[in-house]
Amino acid sequence: MSQPLAAPAALEHAALPWLQAAAVASLLPHAGQLPPWLTFGCAVLLAWSLTQAMRQGQLPPRWLLLPLVGIAATGIALEYRSLFGRDPGIALLVAMATLKLLELRSRRDAMVLLTLSCFLLLTHFLHSQSIPTALWLLLALWLIVAALLRLQTSVLPPRALLREAARLCLQAIPLTLLLFILFPRISGPLWGLPQDAQRARSGLAEQIEPGSIADLALSGEIAFRVRFDETPPPRRLLYWRGPVLELLQGNAWRPLLASRQAPRIEATGPTLTYESTLEASRQHWLLALDAPGAWPADAELTPSLSLRSREPLHERQRVRLAAHLDYRFNREASPGELQRNLRLPGDSNPRSQALGREWQERIASPRERVVQALQLFAQAPFAYTLQPPILGQHAIDDFLFTTRRGFCEHYAAAFALLMRAAGVPARVVSGYQGGELNPVDGYFEVRQSDAHAWTEVWLAGEGWQRVDPTAAVAPERIERGIVAALPLGEPLPLLAALRTDWLLALRHRWDAANNAWNQYFIGYNAERQRQWLAAVGVATSDWRRWALLLTGGGSLLLAGLALRLLWHRPRRDPLRQEWERALRILARHQVHCQPGEAPLALLARVNQEMPARAPAFAQVVQVYLAARYGPPSPPTAAVTAARQLRAAVAQLAKGNRF
């Protein structure tokens, strides 16, 4: 006959605040990532749970929770059009954890809630791996451990409970660090799914048109960091090259990726080496100084002198690069390349094209035509602004002859169009210009607000030459950055606008801390692990082999610890073992020894409930009490008493088989 399942142990009411605090700490950071209706619904359910706990009221019946589960799952499926994937999965977990707060009746329910809370902690790293996120999750972990302790003991006051939880968390640090350093890394980010983690920020687009870079310049996000091996060059020479835009269609400039002609670079100055840490951009471009002299093996140099990686940057990437700041590029260009960079749409910007043709007829030297265009920008009342007016179909005509207010892409696009119309091959280059040295860690920080566009013209005997028309209008942009170039009242990224000394120093320290966090923790990838292991004398190039070694070593260590514990484990009291065996025999006949019940009291109950077996159990009790509580006896007598008890229990068991 099967035995009925024991009811789950009831949950103490005093444990509820600990469980709710742990759950709220785990759920709270997700509020900004969830749909508003789900955040509001979870907040209502949470308030309901807290109110019931404070009033010691009844929890809602389970039949009421089932429809709520169905409503949450249906809403999430409609919102995300699926229940699978990162975002709908997290939303479902949040809803289930919140509903579980209304079902806390037993210790088993509490353990389920804390397990969900631990899993929710991990999911936060799928959205953010920043320092504040990590600190918040440590706080949440501390509360979860405290809640677990509260489930196990009710004697510790709250302060002692928190102190004990902190001690346990601190004791786990050495093993955590050891696993962090040695656990095999595979290609991909530290946290989360490769396609989701470190989600790309907005960066340079594959094409530009008036207004595209001005929008990007409003972002203060870090685009990449650079540390030079030697003295950094002046700011005015820091042109970080991105896509080169040769195709003009309407008002949009696009790159040409079909050409396979190798660039011809003639270095005329020393080589500059540096390390660049690029943020995830989901693009192929490796922003590098003009002109690249060395690059990673998994990247290639395009015919237009840009660096492209074979795979998009889905994660933060650290690369070693070299550059020649003094160089000549393609002094002998092919006719196709020159013809391509003279091409103009026939039906756009007629006034600008007419002006360029007039220069071509009047000025014989191509170099003088370049100077003529720069003088136009320097002498006419052009303004550098992040708020240019809306332009019409002939955007360059409107800009050059009517509005005369624009950002760098306006000047670069207008200059390139004028040059092509004047018979000078020209193209637009997009990328970043400048950067800010962080004196705390020595890294150059290049932000999205440093996004820039300039032009290149091809001159016979000189090759492609960089010309920055923005410098003719706002030279401060090149020398001192966007903040110095923009007039008062212009919108600026918040971080760029903080120019007070103490705020600037604080920002530098915070940026340096973030950089160290990214470099040594988030950026601890397979390559860094391989370098570290090689530095300590462990040479391995395959993470699978390292995983086998680590698993084998860990298994041997655990086996050794287990053997040591078995060898030194305390020997059990033989009298206690036989007594517990007798209790198990009684329990099979529904006679359970109650907590604190003495042997003689139990014998009295057996006389009433199992009179047929009472004599055999009376013999067990007599031998057990004599051996346990009788006068002290020599070791030989104790062995004899244990044998007598074993025989008495055997008689009890034999009687039970009838």
Side-chain angles (χ1 to χ4, degrees), residues 224 292 316 352 378 418 491 548:
F224 54 96
R316 188 176 292 107
S352 302
L418 286 172
L548 288 175

Side-chain angles (χ1 to χ4, degrees), residues 374-398:
L374 292 176
Q375 287 177 347
L376 171 67
F377 288 120
Q379 296 172 359
F382 283 95
Y384 183 70
T385 178
L386 276 171
Q387 298 175 303
I390 297 176
L391 303 176
Q393 178 183 0
H394 302 294
I396 301 301
D397 281 358
D398 292 347

Side-chain angles (χ1 to χ4, degrees), residues 294-311:
W295 49 87
D298 59 349
E300 61 177 0
L301 187 65
T302 69
S304 56
L305 217 56
S306 298
L307 280 181
R308 279 177 61 90
S309 64
R310 292 195 179 95
E311 300 294 332

Side-chain angles (χ1 to χ4, degrees), residues 1 21 241 305 318 326 328 348 364 375 455 475 488-489 549 567:
M1 181 177 178
R241 194 181 189 91
L305 217 56
R318 189 183 304 108
D326 297 317
R328 290 177 178 173
S348 69
Q375 287 177 347
T455 60
L488 292 176
L549 289 174
W567 184 261

Side-chain angles (χ1 to χ4, degrees), residues 99-167:
L99 286 169
K100 194 65 184 175
L101 286 169
L102 296 171
E103 200 187 20
L104 289 177
R105 292 182 172 85
S106 65
R107 290 164 58 90
R108 184 178 59 190
D109 294 330
M111 293 302 296
V112 170
L113 176 66
L114 294 178
T115 304
L116 277 175
S117 299
C118 289
F119 197 76
L120 281 171
L121 288 188
L122 291 178
T123 61
H124 291 304
F125 282 110
L126 299 180
H127 293 297
S128 169
Q129 299 97 44
S130 65
I131 294 177
T133 299
L135 293 177
W136 179 266
L137 298 192
L138 283 177
L139 171 67
L141 179 63
W142 181 33
L143 292 176
I144 289 175
V145 174
L148 282 170
L149 282 174
R150 182 59 186 79
L151 291 178
Q152 303 302 321
T153 176
S154 59
V155 297
L156 290 177
R159 185 172 297 180
L161 203 62
L162 289 172
R163 190 164 51 244
E164 183 66 12
R167 187 178 67 83

Side-chain angles (χ1 to χ4, degrees), residues 228 231-234 236-240 265-274 288-293 322-328 466:
F228 293 97
T231 305
R236 59 182 172 80
L237 299 180
L238 298 179
Y239 280 84
W240 311 95
I265 305 172
E266 303 171 43
T268 58
T271 301
L272 187 70
T273 55
Y274 60 99
L289 278 178
D290 278 345
H324 308 292
L325 297 185
D326 297 317
Y327 66 96
R328 290 177 178 173
R466 181 196 307 138

